[in-house]
Amino acid sequence: MAATATSTAGAGVTTAVRIGNCSGFYGDRISAMREMLTGGDLDFLTGDYLAELTMLILGRDRMKNPERGYAKTFLRQLEECLGLAQDRNVRIVANAGGLNPAGLAAGIRELADRLGLDVSVAHVEGDDLLARAGELGLGSPLTANAYLGAWGIVDCLNAGADVVVTGRVTDASVIVGPAAAHFGWSTTDYDRLAGAVLAGHVIECGTQATGGNYAFFTEVPDLTYPGFPLAEIHADGSSVITKHPGTGGQVSVGTVTAQLLYEITGARYANPDVTARVDSITLADDGPDRVRITGAVGEPPPPTLKVSLNEIGGFRNSVTFVLTGLDIEAKAELLQRQLDNVLAVRPAEMHWTLARTDHPDADTEETASALLHCTVRDADPAKVGRAFTGAGIELALASYPGFHVTAPPGEGQVYGVYTAGYVDAAEVPHLAVHPDGTRTDIAPATQTQPLAPAAEPELSEPLPTGRTRRVPLGQIAGGRSGDKGGSANIGLWVRTDAQWRWLAHTLTVERLRELLPETAELGVTRALLPNLRAVNFVIDDILGRGVAYNARFDPQAKGLAEWLRGRHLDIPEELL
């Protein structure tokens, strides 16, 4: 497969390295690996298989079988594609190792032997801190994994590995590693590393960079089957985001902006190897389905590493009651009072939500109906099992008119709780295990800088004056949102300088709380990103104790930005 690059930055390799992506999550399109290998030229193919929720899923998988704990679909993809990658001289880097990268590496070697292929496989480990969780003050979780950086991957590639699998590295690291190895970057090439981090952040979520989940999706020429993205990264850290010719979807300044805003915390985007300044970069069209990212500024990384902690929180169950027609509020009040009265033992948590999906004078029964959700949680599965759901069903002939539910009674299900911990980077081993079994310790960063919010730029330009029209914010603003543990982010961007001045002046934290009443009592921080004509909000604790806790209607906050875009504001007509 591909020869190992050992040149130094700016003194050897100067041609761009082409790094593709074939997975944005565990469960993504299974055919994407083959499509990326056959659709055009690549030097490296990467995949991101891990999310906060995925680590919980893999943790439960490992409880059933200690030899598992990795993304099994990755092996399925390799069974079809490992020989293809070898024929095309493409090296593969993925974090599919999850909680057991050594086990996955062994599985790949067995697969290669069965296929009659001579493939060098390496892996990166050290992120799993479960055995030391108590010692490190992390409690007694089910999983405890530190986010490692890219240098273990670099070391494995420099040792000649054709395939490198890791445990919990940051999502961008699977892209940063190949770029740093290709160009021979040093650990203090911060601007170059920052550029690779931001390129990696764009492509690591797969088709979200090519039109998927895009606010202005009706502008994408063909979103029926979008292609996966790739980054052409240059020696100076600049990059071009593109996709293979003839594939669906679109790469535009808009789609790249949307993905840059996904799940960030502000102008500083911290990784274990570098803190990338999101506010430093400039985007420009570089031809059809090509967007150039330049100007990345990097700073030393924080002195601590984030640790993903998952634990079993207890058992959860829910029942959804359908309320149709008249007197919705009164029907809901009656049902809640009755269920409170008949439950022999009340669960530790009992949460009611009334979704007013009903319309007056509706022409279908469904649009005449509201949904009353009751969610319960308890450490005792008996309290949230049929003792709960059965009590609700027993009211069927004794409650509000039109009583019915959306599903039959059922038992409770285990739910998880996510928290983020932080440990000194020097406390976390980072090990590169070469194809020959040699183990190399990767030293932590020697220069560090505590993470702090960037200063907000001054807004001195005057606001537009004149007539306004009350319309949805989404008429001028795109958006993307996502989960960050129990918190969520919303990134909004506009397309002109005049729209940006209005957005930055108008969409303050106070206005956000007015538009999204659910955030009124929560901590909210705002960051302005003028180069992207964007504003980013982080909303603390809106997701409760993480995605698996399922605290709200949209537990991963994927639709939060679309809700905000649907709210109406008085927008100057000259901006519409």
Side-chain angles (χ1 to χ4, degrees):
M1 297 178 79
T4 302
T6 57
S7 62
T8 57
V13 178
T14 56
T15 56
V17 59
R18 287 171 61 89
I19 304 173
N21 167 275
C22 68
S23 177
F25 67 100
Y26 189 15
D28 209 343
R29 188 192 303 169
I30 197 77
S31 62
M33 183 179 287
R34 174 177 48 78
E35 293 167 7
M36 289 301 289
L37 288 170
T38 59
D41 292 333
L42 291 176
D43 297 302
F44 294 90
L45 182 59
T46 66
D48 175 25
Y49 292 79
L50 303 183
E52 292 162 356
L53 180 60
T54 310
M55 301 305 284
L56 175 66
I57 293 169
L58 295 178
R60 297 189 65 195
D61 195 23
R62 184 172 62 177
M63 287 176 66
K64 299 172 187 175
N65 183 347
E67 296 182 359
R68 292 292 176 86
Y70 54 77
K72 297 184 287 291
T73 54
F74 181 70
L75 274 178
R76 288 173 52 199
Q77 291 174 302
L78 286 182
E79 186 161 11
E80 179 185 9
C81 297
L82 192 55
L84 186 61
Q86 191 173 49
D87 291 342
R88 292 179 174 263
N89 212 31
V90 177
R91 304 166 82 180
I92 296 173
V93 180
N95 62 11
L99 302 177
N100 188 6
L104 178 57
I108 296 169
R109 293 186 187 100
E110 292 172 6
L111 174 64
D113 289 343
R114 179 159 53 84
L115 296 175
L117 300 173
D118 182 14
V119 177
S120 297
V121 182
H123 73 274
V124 177
E125 60 184 43
D127 62 291
D128 194 338
L129 303 179
L130 185 61
R132 300 171 55 211
E135 166 200 339
L136 295 171
L138 301 173
S140 302
L142 173 67
T143 67
N145 295 82
Y147 286 79
L148 300 180
W151 292 106
I153 297 170
V154 173
D155 193 70
C156 289
L157 292 172
N158 287 340
D162 301 318
V163 179
V164 182
V165 292
T166 75
R168 179 69 278 186
V169 297
T170 65
D171 299 343
S173 290
V174 295
I175 292 95
V176 177
H182 181 80
F183 293 114
W185 291 338
S186 77
T187 57
T188 55
D189 281 329
Y190 293 131
D191 291 349
R192 296 181 176 99
L193 293 168
V197 163
L198 293 170
H201 181 58
V202 172
I203 71 169
E204 56 89 4
C205 263
T207 52
Q208 280 196 168
T210 59
N213 292 341
Y214 183 50
F216 303 113
F217 68 97
T218 57
E219 299 176 5
V220 178
D222 182 9
L223 198 52
T224 306
Y225 197 79
F228 275 67
L230 65 95
E232 298 173 353
I233 301 179
H234 293 263
D236 63 355
S238 66
S239 64
V240 172
I241 308 300
T242 185
K243 63 186 183 70
H244 284 326
T247 56
Q250 180 184 63
V251 177
S252 67
V253 169
T255 67
V256 172
T257 299
Q259 185 54 28
L260 281 167
L261 296 174
Y262 182 60
E263 295 182 341
I264 62 171
T265 54
R268 285 190 165 103
Y269 185 51
N271 269 248
D273 305 316
V274 64
T275 295
R277 292 296 297 255
V278 185
D279 56 353
S280 67
I281 55 175
T282 300
L283 307 184
D285 284 314
D286 194 59
D289 290 314
R290 293 176 61 84
V291 172
R292 185 172 294 276
I293 304 176
T294 57
V297 172
E299 299 170 341
T304 57
L305 297 183
K306 183 179 178 180
V307 184
S308 170
L309 301 169
N310 284 284
E311 58 185 299
I312 300 299
F315 296 84
R316 178 184 63 228
N317 208 340
S318 63
V319 177
T320 297
F321 302 90
V322 183
L323 315 176
T324 305
L326 305 176
D327 307 316
I328 297 295
E329 301 281 352
K331 289 172 180 173
E333 189 279 329
L334 171 62
L335 192 281
Q336 292 179 59
R337 177 160 38 91
Q338 288 181 312
L339 190 55
D340 282 340
N341 183 62
V342 299
L343 279 175
V345 181
R346 187 180 178 91
E349 296 180 41
M350 193 168 183
H351 182 67
W352 294 92
T353 305
L354 177 59
R356 293 302 301 265
T357 52
D358 54 302
H359 300 269
D361 194 23
D363 57 2
T364 67
E365 183 176 344
E366 186 171 3
T367 56
S369 300
L371 301 176
L372 179 63
H373 308 285
C374 183
T375 300
V376 294
R377 297 181 183 85
D378 201 285
D380 183 353
K383 292 182 182 180
V384 301
R386 291 185 180 270
F388 162 66
T389 55
I393 298 304
E394 288 173 4
L395 296 170
L397 306 182
S399 190
Y400 62 86
F403 181 108
H404 64 287
V405 295
T406 59
E411 299 294 343
Q413 302 294 321
V414 171
Y415 73 90
V417 171
Y418 170 87
T419 54
Y422 294 88
V423 298
D424 190 306
E427 293 285 345
V428 180
H430 187 170
L431 297 169
V433 184
H434 297 173
D436 64 0
T438 304
R439 301 169 69 86
T440 303
D441 287 315
I442 306 300
T446 54
Q447 299 179 23
T448 62
Q449 177 177 304
L451 189 65
E456 194 162 282
E458 292 186 11
L459 298 171
S460 56
E461 301 90 343
L463 279 171
T465 57
R467 293 170 58 88
T468 62
R469 194 185 314 162
R470 193 160 187 81
V471 296
L473 176 60
Q475 282 207 12
I476 66 167
R480 181 159 289 170
S481 56
D483 57 294
K484 298 288 290 182
S487 302
N489 93 298
I490 303 176
L492 292 172
W493 80 96
V494 290
R495 308 193 208 208
T496 71
D497 291 340
Q499 290 174 343
W500 155 246
R501 288 193 294 273
W502 176 86
L503 182 72
H505 279 285
T506 304
L507 201 58
T508 60
V509 169
E510 292 71 23
R511 180 61 65 87
L512 179 83
R513 289 192 168 116
E514 293 172 8
L515 295 171
L516 306 185
E518 188 179 350
T519 69
E521 303 300 322
L522 302 176
V524 180
T525 55
R526 184 179 89 149
L528 298 179
L529 305 169
N531 286 9
L532 300 179
R533 299 192 187 100
V535 58
N536 185 70
F537 294 94
V538 176
I539 305 166
D540 297 332
D541 303 322
I542 192 170
L543 304 180
R545 302 181 71 186
V547 172
Y549 186 72
N550 207 10
R552 67 188 298 274
F553 167 70
D554 174 17
Q556 291 184 285
K558 301 304 184 188
L560 200 57
E562 289 301 292
W563 177 23
L564 181 57
R565 292 182 68 239
R567 295 309 309 265
H568 288 223
L569 287 85
D570 295 317
I571 300 178
E573 288 189 346
E574 67 181 85
L575 303 181
L576 295 174

